[in-house]
Amino acid sequence: MVGMHGTYEANLAMHDCDLMVAVGARFDDRVTGRLDAFSPGSKKIHIDIDPSSINKNVRVDLPIIGDVGEALSAILSAGPAALRSSDGAARDKWWRAIEGWRARDCLRYDRSRRDLIKPQYAIERLYALTRDRDVYITTEVGQHQMWAAQFFKFEEPNRWMTSGGLGTMGYGLPAAMGVQIAHPDALVIDIAGEASVLMNIQEMSTIAQYRLPVKVFIVNNQYMGMVRQWQELLHGGRYSESYTAALPDFVKLADAFGAVGRRVEDPAELDDAIREMLDTDCAFILDVAVDPVENCFPMIPSGAAHNEMLLGPEDEAKKPVSEEGMVLV
């Protein structure tokens, strides 16, 4: 993944590349960062069927207007000849640079805590325990969405339903309902945040009516976590309306809708709780209490470029903050 919470190696590869081929991309702000510093040294090819999408956000050197499949087939047919004339030494040097960036392990997090569940660990364990299943994942919007993208290692296409940078809180539960209807024998899991899932929680009624075995995996940090993270890192720690002090009891809520619910707070009990969710034939809400102040890294701060990423808590103090609470970059 590239962009605001993309990996260090992906963002630096995009920033430093010689040639960028953008296939159906819209160059939204969550991907580009600061536009005047977006991949400054590269030539850019943009393939899109919609002429109005060309040069809308990023000026490109070669627009290709047409069907993506036909355009890529034409490019690939010329690939072998192009590779024969390419600079192998330069390509090897480029791959060594990428491996060096990858060695930074930008998705590391504190694994030493035994008294609380880290959100990254929760999603890692969900992935590990579903690897042998026919699984489809939906998400809501927020930190949990980014952690799902980072730590649930998708290995098949069309298994990841998310609203991307559109920011549509409440997307994941109705999306999971639709996926379950389309794939009745599959395991469908909505990886959710406790604030976002409440936007459309009434769809549990539809799930009950149609007896859909949708699983809701709530990464519950009691905050609108992405809002809290921005307030902490970009606005001088001035928190406003990002903490949720009146959450429902999700176990009782599940019971009210004819589903099964469980809450887990101890890392030692997490695997057992996930297995119970997976082995239950009906709808299930698993409320996973996680570290309430964990931030999602890497992060490109607002107004920064791809080579100005924060990789972890140790980088948080590197961005000076003005009296107005804005990060100076």
Side-chain angles (χ1 to χ4, degrees), residues 8 104 106 108 232-233 295 297-301 307-321 327:
Y8 185 70
R104 292 288 299 272
C106 67
R108 66 188 181 279
E232 175 187 334
L233 300 181
N295 286 330
F297 293 107
M299 177 184 181
I300 301 175
N307 60 346
E308 298 174 312
M309 279 171 282
L310 306 180
L311 296 187
E314 68 277 7
D315 288 342
E316 292 181 19
K318 293 182 180 179
K319 295 292 180 185
V321 179
V327 173

Side-chain angles (χ1 to χ4, degrees), residues 3-4 28-38 300-301 303-306:
M4 180 170 287
D28 62 282
D29 64 337
R30 298 305 168 106
V31 166
T32 62
R34 197 172 85 233
L35 276 173
D36 63 1
F38 176 65
I300 301 175
H306 289 87

Side-chain angles (χ1 to χ4, degrees), residues 114 116-117 121 262 264-273:
R114 295 291 181 267
L116 83 176
I117 300 171
Y121 177 74
R262 178 171 174 176
V264 60
E265 301 176 4
D266 186 344
E269 298 176 2
L270 178 61
D271 280 16
D272 179 68

Side-chain angles (χ1 to χ4, degrees), residues 49-66:
I49 201 167
D50 179 9
S52 69
S53 294
I54 304 294
N55 292 327
K56 182 169 68 175
N57 296 323
V58 172
R59 300 290 301 181
V60 299
D61 299 277
L62 176 61
I64 299 176
I65 299 170

